[in-house]
Amino acid sequence: MTNTYEDNMGIARRFTRRLHELPSEELELIAGLFVRHEVHKGELLLSEKDIAKDIIFVEKGLLRQFYFKEGRDITENFACDGDGAMCIVSLFTGHRNCLQLESLEEGVIWAISYAGLVELSERYLHIARFHRHLLEGSLILSQYKADSWRFETSRERYARFLKDYPQVAKRASVNHIASYLLMTPESLSRVRAGVL
């Protein structure tokens, strides 16, 4: 399915206004970078052999970023309806990525070229502000997660997850949620039951 000008403008408006309202001229420029993709459950959108080139915005569906450690599949992050996903290290360095990106549901995503966004942000003030807010948000999220792992109990981590990701909590598998929280599925079950 080919996206139309109206589709691109609508999606650009939806994803940018949460971070920074763009004047119409700059909104049109950034809208031109968005490319729509339909994704399927179980589809690997980015493998560890790939170099990330795009920021992904989820119109509909559920994605997860994950990596392997000592033979275990560890969920790093989730993104569902209205969220974004990016592999910052690969985007910034142009090197291969240890994170993989998988679609957990049938859905629709929009990819925006990171190089294109950088180029526009060097020429347009409001796009630069949007870009900065996007990266700041990602860094803040990473810090919250790191602090949660360091300082919170299993029960506190789960409570934070329910608060921050209510839709993901309903739609993701127990195994994926447990790995995100650095728990075993059995530990997560005990936390849910109020035993831990």
Side-chain angles (χ1 to χ4, degrees), residues 45-126:
L45 307 174
L46 188 69
S47 82
E48 61 190 344
K49 297 174 184 169
D50 296 328
I51 296 171
K53 296 187 182 330
D54 299 319
I55 297 172
I56 305 298
F57 293 99
V58 183
E59 178 178 357
K60 182 180 87 168
L62 177 61
L63 308 179
R64 80 175 179 118
Q65 290 176 293
F66 69 101
Y67 60 92
F68 288 98
K69 181 177 180 181
E70 298 171 1
R72 289 185 50 218
D73 171 329
I74 309 291
T75 299
E76 171 73 17
N77 205 5
F78 292 101
C80 67
D81 313 343
D83 293 334
M86 65 181 119
C87 297
I88 287 180
V89 172
S90 187
L91 281 174
F92 287 7
T93 66
H95 294 116
R96 285 195 175 128
N97 173 51
C98 66
L99 287 178
Q100 300 186 64
L101 185 62
E102 174 187 28
S103 178
L104 298 178
E105 298 177 350
E106 301 292 311
V108 176
I109 63 169
W110 292 78
I112 183 169
S113 159
Y114 185 68
L117 179 60
V118 168
E119 183 181 321
L120 288 177
S121 70
E122 290 171 353
R123 296 182 3 230
Y124 297 93
L125 176 64
H126 291 281

Side-chain angles (χ1 to χ4, degrees), residues 8-195:
N8 279 48
M9 286 296 288
I11 212 70
R13 189 174 291 109
R14 177 179 171 192
F15 286 117
T16 59
R17 75 172 161 215
R18 288 177 18 188
L19 298 172
H20 186 75
E21 196 76 35
L22 298 178
S24 55
E25 176 197 355
E26 293 184 38
L27 184 66
E28 276 191 59
L29 291 168
I30 207 168
L33 296 177
F34 280 91
V35 179
R36 183 182 189 274
H37 301 277
E38 293 184 11
V39 295
H40 304 287
K41 183 176 182 176
E43 183 177 344
L44 196 59
L45 307 174
L46 188 69
S47 82
E48 61 190 344
K49 297 174 184 169
D50 296 328
I51 296 171
K53 296 187 182 330
D54 299 319
I55 297 172
I56 305 298
F57 293 99
V58 183
E59 178 178 357
K60 182 180 87 168
L62 177 61
L63 308 179
R64 80 175 179 118
Q65 290 176 293
F66 69 101
Y67 60 92
F68 288 98
K69 181 177 180 181
E70 298 171 1
R72 289 185 50 218
D73 171 329
I74 309 291
T75 299
E76 171 73 17
N77 205 5
F78 292 101
C80 67
D81 313 343
D83 293 334
M86 65 181 119
C87 297
I88 287 180
V89 172
S90 187
L91 281 174
F92 287 7
T93 66
H95 294 116
R96 285 195 175 128
N97 173 51
C98 66
L99 287 178
Q100 300 186 64
L101 185 62
E102 174 187 28
S103 178
L104 298 178
E105 298 177 350
E106 301 292 311
V108 176
I109 63 169
W110 292 78
I112 183 169
S113 159
Y114 185 68
L117 179 60
V118 168
E119 183 181 321
L120 288 177
S121 70
E122 290 171 353
R123 296 182 3 230
Y124 297 93
L125 176 64
H126 291 281
I127 293 175
R129 287 181 179 160
F130 163 74
H131 182 200
R132 188 186 82 228
H133 292 312
L134 181 68
L135 297 179
E136 287 172 349
S138 181
L139 291 171
I140 289 168
L141 184 65
S142 294
Q143 186 65 52
Y144 281 151
K145 185 173 181 192
D147 289 348
S148 173
W149 286 344
R150 283 195 294 264
F151 305 121
E152 294 179 344
T153 66
S154 298
R155 185 176 292 184
E156 289 168 336
R157 284 199 311 273
Y158 182 62
R160 178 188 289 273
F161 176 77
L162 291 176
K163 179 179 168 264
D164 293 345
Y165 295 102
Q167 284 302 309
V168 175
K170 295 175 189 171
R171 294 158 59 181
S173 75
V174 169
N175 288 346
H176 292 154
I177 293 170
S179 74
Y180 173 79
L181 295 170
L182 297 181
M183 299 180 200
T184 64
E186 296 76 24
S187 295
L188 178 56
S189 293
R190 288 195 294 275
V191 167
R192 285 176 158 174
V195 176

